[in-house]
Amino acid sequence: MNKSTTFRKIVGASTLTLAAAIAATSVANAATWRYAHEEYDGDVQDVYAEHFKDYVEENSDHQIQIFEFGQLGESDDIMEQTQNGILQFVNQSPGFTGSLIPEAQIFFIPYLMPTDMDAVVTFFRESEAINEMFPKLYAEQGLELLQMYPEGEMVITLDEKATSPEDLQNKKIRVMTNPLLSETYEAFGATPTPLPWGEVYGALQTNMIDGQENPIFWIESGGLYEVSPNLLFTGHGWFTTAIMANQDFYEGLSEEDQKLVQEAADYAFEKIIDHIDGLADESLAKIKEASDDVTVTKLNDEQIEAFRERAPQVEDAFIEMTGESGKKLLDQFKEDLKEVQNN
Ligand code: 6CS
């Protein structure tokens, strides 16, 4: 064997060893990250999670394991598991986070958000309150906020048709478990009843409550129209949700993996905006097809005004609950919204 063949063999062998070592390191660094959300297979949060998973798995050796509603408990349970580091990612809606981060209740001030979807999406993309102020508030609770996104316009479902706050008197309306949402329904004339999601269908079925609010896709997918068939479109807000990571986990990632996570969150955001476009109309059509008992009431401007004029007292309650920090957030929120509407 001549010198050059020997040299090539040695180099070849060491290249192979190096490649094997790199492969072993990358397998050793490949992790399985646990991600829980609050919805079921095919619902908006699940679609977001699947896109996030696709991006991560296509662009790294890491795997994402998704847990849907109920597999690990209620929304508050998955948040606790994330704060404890048992889960790496959690999708929790401000409807529940509001009890942990009072400022997150801002989404429950009625008639703050526009009804037009393009304006809502632009707001989420560009808002300084959403993209700069909220991450700091979540960080105080050990959470790295990755993205906030809208799921759909809120619609009230009731046991009877209604068109005014007077019609809501004595109606027990289920609300997610944050105090400001209770203020909203009190302002609307109703009796708010905070409940975790798992109890809502049964409570409607047994008439423990008379109604609830949610986006149409969820009213359809959860079969809520079967037990609460009168739909009332008041235009008072959007269901918003948020995806976040345990902050210690996130800060322990390499720069490359942090970038991967951010890109996956942005990628899934774009996908979800496409997904929700037209989803409410499709879901309403499915509901009408499935049930003859369903009624749909879309309030006119004058009827909406009767609800809207009760919003300022909820805004006052928000400021009372959140102090200076909430006031600053609300001012920025309003400024961001004005900018979106002016453009
Ligand atoms: O009303 C609720 O509690 C649920 N609504 C939606 C649209 N997603 C998850 C949440 O738990």
Side-chain angles (χ1 to χ4, degrees), residues 146-300:
L146 299 173
Q147 196 77 255
M148 284 184 151
Y149 62 93
E151 294 196 38
E153 195 182 324
M154 282 295 201
V155 176
I156 303 175
T157 70
L158 292 160
D159 57 341
E160 290 179 308
K161 282 175 92 166
T163 56
S164 65
E166 286 70 34
D167 292 341
L168 295 188
Q169 283 244 309
N170 300 322
K171 293 275 181 218
K172 289 200 257 357
I173 306 288
R174 177 267 175 167
V175 291
M176 286 178 282
T177 52
N178 76 80
L180 196 76
L181 193 50
S182 288
E183 294 281 342
T184 297
Y185 275 87
E186 259 166 38
F188 283 177
T191 307
T193 310
L195 283 179
W197 165 249
E199 293 173 35
V200 179
Y201 191 97
L204 287 166
Q205 198 169 32
T206 54
N207 300 320
M208 272 174 57
I209 51 171
D210 307 307
Q212 60 87 44
E213 64 160 24
N214 252 308
I216 284 285
F217 87 85
W218 187 252
I219 293 168
E220 192 274 321
S221 81
L224 293 172
Y225 64 91
E226 298 159 354
V227 284
S228 191
N230 299 289
L231 276 47
L232 176 60
F233 286 69
T234 47
H236 69 278
W238 277 71
F239 189 100
T240 295
T241 198
I243 166 77
M244 62 216 88
N246 170 294
Q247 205 176 31
D248 289 341
F249 152 76
Y250 181 83
E251 283 173 355
L253 292 176
S254 64
E255 250 175 57
E256 191 190 344
D257 280 345
Q258 286 186 356
K259 188 164 164 270
L260 172 78
V261 165
Q262 294 291 344
E263 285 173 357
D266 292 347
Y267 173 80
F269 178 86
E270 296 308 326
K271 294 285 182 188
I272 215 63
I273 295 307
D274 276 354
H275 178 77
I276 64 168
D277 192 11
L279 182 63
D281 290 342
E282 282 164 35
S283 304
L284 186 57
K286 281 191 200 161
I287 291 174
K288 284 181 175 166
E289 176 83 28
S291 168
D292 291 334
D293 296 332
V294 167
T295 70
V296 178
T297 305
K298 294 193 178 179
L299 297 184
N300 62 33

Side-chain angles (χ1 to χ4, degrees), residues 18 34 106 137-138 238-239 251 270 318 328:
L18 186 64
R34 290 181 291 274
I106 198 166
L137 294 167
Y138 277 68
W238 277 71
F239 189 100
E251 283 173 355
E270 296 308 326
F318 174 76
K328 266 195 201 151

Side-chain angles (χ1 to χ4, degrees), residues 67-211:
F67 297 92
E68 295 172 5
F69 175 82
Q71 291 181 302
L72 299 175
E74 283 282 356
S75 183
D76 285 348
D77 300 316
I78 57 177
M79 172 56 90
E80 203 180 306
Q81 289 155 22
T82 307
Q83 286 186 300
N84 291 339
I86 298 166
L87 296 172
Q88 282 72 47
F89 298 99
V90 67
N91 191 138
Q92 191 188 53
S93 307
F96 296 106
T97 319
S99 46
L100 183 70
I101 304 172
E103 292 88 342
Q105 299 177 107
I106 198 166
F107 296 101
F108 302 100
I109 298 174
Y111 299 101
L112 188 58
M113 298 284 280
T115 45
D116 170 59
M117 172 157 160
D118 287 343
V120 170
V121 171
T122 308
F123 171 71
F124 276 90
R125 280 189 204 289
E126 295 177 1
S127 160
E128 200 178 312
I130 296 280
N131 298 300
E132 285 168 39
M133 294 175 87
F134 264 123
K136 291 182 189 132
L137 294 167
Y138 277 68
E140 286 168 18
Q141 299 300 329
L143 298 162
E144 181 74 26
L145 180 64
L146 299 173
Q147 196 77 255
M148 284 184 151
Y149 62 93
E151 294 196 38
E153 195 182 324
M154 282 295 201
V155 176
I156 303 175
T157 70
L158 292 160
D159 57 341
E160 290 179 308
K161 282 175 92 166
T163 56
S164 65
E166 286 70 34
D167 292 341
L168 295 188
Q169 283 244 309
N170 300 322
K171 293 275 181 218
K172 289 200 257 357
I173 306 288
R174 177 267 175 167
V175 291
M176 286 178 282
T177 52
N178 76 80
L180 196 76
L181 193 50
S182 288
E183 294 281 342
T184 297
Y185 275 87
E186 259 166 38
F188 283 177
T191 307
T193 310
L195 283 179
W197 165 249
E199 293 173 35
V200 179
Y201 191 97
L204 287 166
Q205 198 169 32
T206 54
N207 300 320
M208 272 174 57
I209 51 171
D210 307 307

